[in-house]
Amino acid sequence: MLKKRKKKITKLQMFLYALLFLVVAGAWSFKFMIMDNDKPVATSENAVQKQIIIPDGSSSSKIASILKTSNLIRSEWAFKSYLKDTQIDRKLRPGTFELSNDMTFEQIADELTHGGKKKATKRFTIPEGYELSEIVELLTQKGFVDRDEFLKLVNNPEHLKEDYDFLEYIPEGHDLEGYLYPNTYDVYVDASTEDVLRKMLDGFQEIYSEILKDKIEAGGNLNDFITMASIVEREGKLDKERAKIASVFYNRIEQNMKFESCATIQYILRERKTRLLNSDLKVESPYNTYQHLGLPPGPIASPGRASIEAAINPEKTEYLFFVVNPEGESGSHNFAKTYKEFLKYKNIYKDSLQ
């Protein structure tokens, strides 16, 4: 009967066995190190309660640093490893939290994902069609911003470009007129002037990403779109008419006609007049569309979504004029293709004023 031959263990096999042993030993050692660092900093008898604030957008590293600085954990790396291993790092919330230094990693993580007190906030609303000067006045009066600091930021937005990609398309030297998106915003009670500004820029960034970015990257001009949208915003009252109003201005560009937009004159005058005088129409300014062809240099107000959509997707019409319709829905207009038709509607409007 043949004897079974003993298998020889090669040097390679010995190396692999040794490597496997080191990996397993290292894993267990790492686990025990985390377990050791998971021990609370203090016992329940001498525990101290602490309030911490986790800002919006904080990474697990930032949170671990806050906890270590507050003496709530023994080790930053051990806490980060625990968060990663348990996938809790994806669920952490910002806010104000009451934590104790006798808590384990699990207890702290549970508070940071489920507990906590929401930080107090305050709210402001920017109406659609507000000019930058009106926004400054509103936020200053309500105590949301420091006027001088806010003006400095909106007039020199260069340092914000790295956070908002749409800003690279604003012509050099222009301020943020038209790009502070009109909406209702909540900010923390201790929000800085720049925090408030960024809230509105976040609002525009969102609308930009949704409906503008593709058109701009395909060669569209952001400044032209928002300038057109701002005029549509100030000229129109009803959302259902905005795309038609935009078509009138685009048709005028094609026909080499001046816009003759009263809204641009109001912007120059910085006041709202119920009726403009002939002298008002002659004021010298690149924003005077009674004197200059085409779009003005930049936006005249902050347009809302409906006006922006109208500027990028106008109706296909042959209209060249529009006049307030005193006999229709409040805020509606009569639209005309010819000057003769325009005069008819204009006379109807004048008669309604008598």
Side-chain angles (χ1 to χ4, degrees):
M1 203 171 167
L2 294 174
K3 292 183 178 180
K4 291 183 178 180
R5 296 174 63 183
K6 292 184 178 180
K7 293 183 179 179
K8 291 184 178 181
I9 299 176
T10 67
K11 289 183 178 181
L12 176 61
Q13 287 175 318
M14 290 179 66
F15 172 76
L16 292 175
Y17 288 143
L19 181 62
L20 178 62
F21 173 79
L22 290 174
V23 170
V24 173
W28 277 101
S29 176
F30 184 73
K31 182 175 181 179
F32 282 121
M33 287 176 70
I34 292 179
M35 291 173 62
D36 185 59
N37 280 287
D38 183 20
K39 293 179 181 178
V41 173
T43 63
S44 56
E45 288 77 19
N46 58 4
V48 177
Q49 196 84 3
K50 297 189 177 184
Q51 184 182 88
I52 64 166
I53 296 174
I54 304 298
D56 277 329
S58 294
S59 64
S60 57
S61 295
K62 174 67 174 177
I63 293 173
S65 175
I66 293 172
L67 295 173
K68 184 67 171 68
T69 301
S70 300
N71 197 35
L72 290 165
I73 57 174
R74 293 175 180 270
S75 166
E76 290 183 39
W77 70 262
F79 185 69
K80 286 190 294 181
S81 297
Y82 171 80
L83 294 177
K84 186 175 182 180
D85 291 344
T86 57
Q87 296 187 336
I88 293 176
D89 55 342
R90 305 174 185 176
K91 304 174 184 177
L92 300 174
R93 290 170 32 185
T96 302
F97 300 86
E98 294 286 346
L99 302 176
S100 174
N101 61 358
D102 67 340
M103 298 171 75
T104 64
F105 283 177
E106 182 180 1
Q107 291 171 322
I108 292 174
D110 185 63
E111 282 295 312
L112 296 180
T113 54
H114 298 103
K117 298 181 294 185
K118 189 175 181 180
K119 197 172 176 182
T121 60
K122 53 185 179 180
R123 174 173 292 186
F124 67 90
T125 298
I126 304 300
E128 294 177 350
Y130 255 37
E131 297 174 12
L132 183 55
S133 59
E134 294 175 304
I135 294 174
V136 173
E137 191 63 28
L138 182 151
L139 294 175
T140 301
Q141 285 188 355
K142 292 184 177 294
F144 281 85
V145 302
D146 175 84
R147 180 189 293 273
D148 292 340
E149 184 181 354
F150 191 79
L151 286 172
K152 183 178 179 180
L153 289 169
V154 297
N155 287 319
N156 302 281
E158 284 295 317
H159 79 286
L160 299 167
K161 283 187 175 180
E162 61 185 37
D163 297 324
Y164 301 98
D165 52 353
F166 68 85
L167 289 179
E168 69 176 288
Y169 299 107
I170 299 178
E172 187 176 349
H174 281 226
D175 57 25
L176 292 176
E177 181 77 83
Y179 296 94
L180 303 185
Y181 189 66
N183 208 342
T184 296
Y185 297 99
D186 292 311
V187 295
Y188 291 134
V189 290
D190 59 351
S192 67
T193 294
E194 184 167 330
D195 291 336
V196 173
L197 174 63
R198 284 179 176 272
K199 270 288 182 181
M200 292 179 282
L201 291 176
D202 289 342
F204 189 90
Q205 180 68 49
E206 184 176 343
I207 205 76
Y208 171 78
S209 298
E210 285 183 28
I211 64 175
L212 282 162
K213 188 173 184 177
D214 289 345
K215 290 186 177 292
I216 303 308
E217 292 182 347
N221 188 302
L222 180 63
N223 187 62
D224 286 353
F225 281 139
I226 301 305
T227 299
M228 176 66 81
S230 70
I231 294 174
V232 171
E233 184 67 58
R234 293 288 295 115
E235 291 281 3
K237 300 296 181 185
L238 305 177
D239 284 351
K240 64 183 181 181
E241 286 190 354
R242 296 191 188 280
K244 195 174 293 185
I245 292 173
S247 77
V248 170
F249 291 121
Y250 281 121
N251 289 340
R252 281 177 163 259
I253 290 176
E254 290 184 6
Q255 296 288 329
N256 204 33
M257 297 172 63
K258 295 184 178 72
F259 271 34
E260 296 187 350
S261 166
C262 294
T264 61
I265 303 300
Q266 304 274 21
Y267 180 72
I268 300 166
L269 299 176
R270 298 295 181 185
E271 61 177 304
R272 299 290 185 259
K273 288 187 174 183
T274 54
R275 297 186 70 175
L276 293 173
L277 304 175
N278 286 331
S279 59
D280 295 328
L281 308 183
K282 296 176 183 178
V283 62
E284 184 49 49
S285 167
Y287 285 84
N288 187 338
T289 56
Y290 279 83
Q291 300 291 325
H292 302 282
L293 282 169
L295 287 161
I300 62 170
S302 289
R305 185 187 186 107
S307 292
I308 295 174
E309 289 180 332
I312 60 179
N313 292 303
E315 280 189 26
K316 295 188 182 300
T317 75
E318 296 179 0
Y319 295 129
L320 293 171
F321 308 91
F322 60 93
V323 184
V324 173
N325 180 8
E327 300 172 347
E329 181 181 354
S330 177
S332 65
H333 295 84
N334 284 315
F335 292 83
K337 298 177 183 178
T338 66
Y339 188 69
K340 182 179 180 180
E341 194 177 11
F342 161 70
L343 289 178
K344 181 186 74 173
Y345 289 136
K346 186 176 181 180
N347 288 331
I348 292 174
Y349 174 64
K350 280 185 175 181
D351 289 343
S352 71
L353 299 176
Q354 296 177 0

